[in-house]
Amino acid sequence: MRKLTVQLGERSYPILIGSGLLAQAPQFFEQYGLTKKSPLMIITDENVAPKYLAALEQTLRSAGYAVVSAVVPAGETSKSLAVYQDMMTAAIEGKLDRSSAILALGGGVVGDLAGFVAATYMRGVKFVQIPTTILAHDSSVGGKVAVNHPLAKNMIGAFHQPELVLYDVDTLQSLPPRDVSAGLSEMLKHGLIRDEAFAHWCEEHAEALLALDPDTLGYGLERGCSIKAEIVSNDERENGERALLNLGHTIGHAIEAIAGYGEFLHGEAISIGMAGSALLGEKLGAPAGLYDETVRMLRALRLPVTLPEHLGTDALMEAMMHDKKFREGHMVFIVPDRIGAARIVKDVPVTAVREVIELLRKGE
């Protein structure tokens, strides 16, 4: 088992990565302070529930925990106020109290939704992230939880750190190839913003990662999580360097909003966004070749790097204006200076962004 710690003083918590961890969940829950006197609530989705929910329920009940469960539709549409209200109803009917905990069993959507329920139920209860996708190695760490508004992604949310992240890599073996690639997008992102050697490692080991080789994947998840944990430990509430983790997300979130949270997986939209950020970097002074190198890495992981024609430039620009990183009339972008080093640029010209969008559509 690999263990990392997100260092946040009294709110520090471990990230446990390994095989067979779901079966050991009760001992970890006891170790990290989840009481058996109050019910636990598992929130999962329709894809994950048939594979892992019954076994986790049985394991916990056998250890003396009271468990209630709620299953939501799979996909980004579950990050809505309507589904959030359904989860609140389930928590109240399940008689959860202030000592209860919410368990997020699933990918990033489930983690964000369950975490927001935990952050707001009785003004905040404990929760545990139990990711079952590669993509969730990013979203399960750092305590950013949210639901979407029809006009903007993650606009309604909170900072609420988990008690622990329990990452059983056995759950990744059933992922479809497209979901594997989408998850590796965020893994590569961590290298692009902070660790050039790791970015190149992702490219060099692309085939092993795509094949879900246990040792290769284990190292990649550990290194990706450790980069994020380090940044979150330095800047929990995104007042500075934590914003670097949003590389590719300004364009990516706009793509998701315009495409209706369904045409692109999150990691696919972020991949296109990272290609766009590299183009923007070159426009703002980064060395020539940064875009080509970034695109080569993304393509090695079988990720998209171009915009389809039907996503109009005007619509994407309008969506970016609703992004949380749009401030005081200026566009804020995370821009790479080179592979492994990025910076926050708070006054990006709108004309430059529009040019990048047009070039992304042409694949130039």
Side-chain angles (χ1 to χ4, degrees), residues 248-261 263-264 268-270 272-273 306-308 311 316 319-320 357 360:
H249 283 58
T250 302
I251 293 173
H253 283 172
I255 291 170
E256 289 178 295
I258 298 305
Y261 300 123
E263 181 178 348
F264 293 92
E268 294 171 335
I270 299 311
I272 299 170
T306 58
L307 279 170
L311 296 184
L316 287 167
M320 280 187 267
I357 295 298
L360 280 177

Side-chain angles (χ1 to χ4, degrees), residues 32 65 85 139 157 183 234 259 287 307 312 345:
Y32 293 103
Y65 284 98
Q85 181 169 315
S139 58
N234 293 335
L307 279 170
V345 182

Side-chain angles (χ1 to χ4, degrees), residues 247-248 251 271-295 298 305-307 333-337 339 348 352-364:
L247 177 70
I251 293 173
S271 174
I272 299 170
M274 289 192 291
S277 294
L279 269 175
L280 187 59
E282 290 190 6
K283 285 184 172 293
L284 298 179
L290 175 63
Y291 167 72
D292 288 341
E293 190 173 8
T294 302
V295 164
L298 293 166
V305 293
T306 58
L307 279 170
F333 264 81
I334 311 307
V335 177
D337 289 321
I339 301 296
V348 177
V353 178
R354 181 175 284 272
E355 289 173 8
V356 164
I357 295 298
E358 293 294 342
L359 290 172
L360 280 177
R361 188 168 286 107
K362 298 174 184 177
E364 298 178 358

Side-chain angles (χ1 to χ4, degrees), residues 319-340:
M320 280 187 267
M321 300 299 181
H322 289 295
D323 192 279
K324 300 186 297 298
K325 296 176 286 298
F326 179 74
R327 296 178 181 175
E328 300 176 358
H330 297 289
M331 300 197 77
V332 181
F333 264 81
I334 311 307
V335 177
D337 289 321
R338 57 176 175 80
I339 301 296

Side-chain angles (χ1 to χ4, degrees), residues 6 8 11 13 111-121 123-127 129 138-147 154-163 228 231-246 324-325 327:
V6 181
L8 292 171
R11 295 185 313 286
Y13 57 92
D112 283 3
L113 171 67
F116 189 53
V117 171
T120 50
Y121 183 77
R123 296 186 175 88
V125 297
K126 294 179 178 181
F127 89 113
Q129 290 274 19
D138 179 75
S139 58
S140 66
V141 177
K144 287 173 74 171
V145 296
V147 294
N154 295 333
M155 192 59 73
I156 306 162
F159 288 94
H160 190 59
Q161 301 294 344
E163 299 302 302
K228 181 160 188 179
I231 291 173
V232 169
S233 296
N234 293 335
D235 179 21
E236 181 182 4
R237 292 183 173 266
E238 202 169 304
N239 294 314
E241 70 172 304
R242 181 167 178 166
L244 295 174
L245 294 165
N246 292 319
K324 300 186 297 298
K325 296 176 286 298
R327 296 178 181 175

